[in-house]
Each structure stands twice: as structure tokens, then as C-alpha cells.
């Protein structure tokens, strides 16, 4: 098997709001869109797809679930600069910049649908 692309698909109530959040604050661009669907791309990240909750594309038992209990994490090169940039853009920081005992440095923001986006770098090299 050869994997040619990776995407994460999230069920949300307001597809346009989540798509706009990622395009405005994280430089994704919309590759495809339709009513209740948006596929976002960045050259250096996994594709992010937003589906409106209740979409028949999803298995029946999953259609009404919300993208909750997960974190979309992006490893970045200058965490402090991203923290400052997002603050300047008036993005609410929902978890302030901190360092975990295992060396992960991170902060989190939350999109209009409650999707947690975490920016990360490492204080010490990963093993």
C-alpha cells in the first residue's frame, strides 16, 4: 500500500464557520466545497474536511455526533510567534502556552464549532 494523502474529517454544525477559521488563521485554502461540506488544504499539513452533522455520507450511527474529544495538533517551527500572532488576530487562546514534563510545548485555540486546535513544538528532541 502507498498512502498518497492524509485527511481528518470532522462533523460540525456550521461548516462555513470552521472552514473560515482555518483559512483565516491557519492559511488553509478551500479545495472543494458544497452545501454541508468543505475540504481544506495546506501543502505542509494533513487535509481537513468539515462535514455538517447529520450528513448521509456518514454511517447512520455516527451522523449526529460532533467533533468532540479530539485535538487537531499542528507541530510548528516558532511556537511563541504563532501564539503572539493569534493573540494579535483576536483569536481566543483556550489553553495558554505551557510545557509538559515530557518536553512538549503547546497552546490551544478553539474554533467556532468547538474543535480544539493545538499548536506544538518540542523543548527537547523526541526519541
Amino acid at each position: 500500500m502507498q498512502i498518497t494523502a492524509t485527511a481528518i474529517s470532522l462533523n460540525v454544525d456550521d461548516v462555513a464557520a470552521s472552514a473560515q477559521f482555518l483559512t483565516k488563521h491557519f492559511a488553509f485554502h478551500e479545495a472543494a466545497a458544497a452545501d454541508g461540506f468543505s475540504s481544506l488544504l495546506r501543502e505542509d499539513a494533513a487535509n481537513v474536511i468539515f462535514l455538517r452533522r447529520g450528513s448521509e455520507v456518514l454511517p447512520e450511527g455516527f451522523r449526529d455526533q460532533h467533533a468532540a474529544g479530539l485535538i487537531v495538533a499542528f507541530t510548528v517551527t516558532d511556537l511563541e510567534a504563532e501564539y503572539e500572532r493569534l493573540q494579535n488576530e483576536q483569536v481566543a487562546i483556550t489553553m495558554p502556552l505551557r510545557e509538559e514534563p515530557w518536553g512538549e510545548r503547546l497552546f490551544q485555540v478553539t474554533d467556532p464549532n468547538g474543535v480544539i486546535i493545538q499548536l506544538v513544538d518540542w523543548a527537547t528532541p523526541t526519541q
Side-chain angles (χ1 to χ4, degrees):
M1 169 177 65
Q2 179 182 3
I3 296 174
T4 61
T6 302
I8 182 168
S9 182
L10 304 167
N11 302 342
V12 297
D13 290 321
D14 187 343
V15 169
S18 283
Q20 181 182 23
F21 188 81
L22 281 188
T23 57
K24 180 178 181 180
H25 299 296
F26 294 94
F28 279 79
H29 69 275
E30 197 166 62
D35 184 35
F37 168 83
S38 180
S39 176
L40 303 174
L41 302 176
R42 245 189 90 119
E43 194 173 296
D44 58 353
N47 301 354
V48 177
I49 297 168
F50 292 108
L51 291 172
R52 184 182 311 123
R53 283 179 41 189
S55 171
E56 291 184 9
V57 139
L58 300 166
E60 192 171 329
F62 296 92
R63 289 182 187 160
D64 292 318
Q65 292 183 6
H66 182 270
L70 63 91
I71 296 171
V72 177
F74 300 120
T75 301
V76 299
T77 55
D78 191 344
L79 191 65
E80 288 82 5
E82 292 303 314
Y83 190 78
E84 184 176 326
R85 177 185 66 80
L86 290 167
Q87 284 182 314
N88 290 338
E89 291 178 7
Q90 307 293 314
V91 174
I93 307 297
T94 50
M95 177 184 286
L97 185 62
R98 63 195 250 180
E99 184 172 327
E100 300 295 350
W102 51 86
E104 179 183 29
R105 299 176 23 181
L106 61 104
F107 70 92
Q108 295 175 349
V109 300
T110 304
D111 92 342
N113 283 290
V115 175
I116 299 168
I117 299 173
Q118 177 172 292
L119 276 66
V120 176
D121 75 3
W122 295 91
T124 56
T126 57
Q127 299 300 328

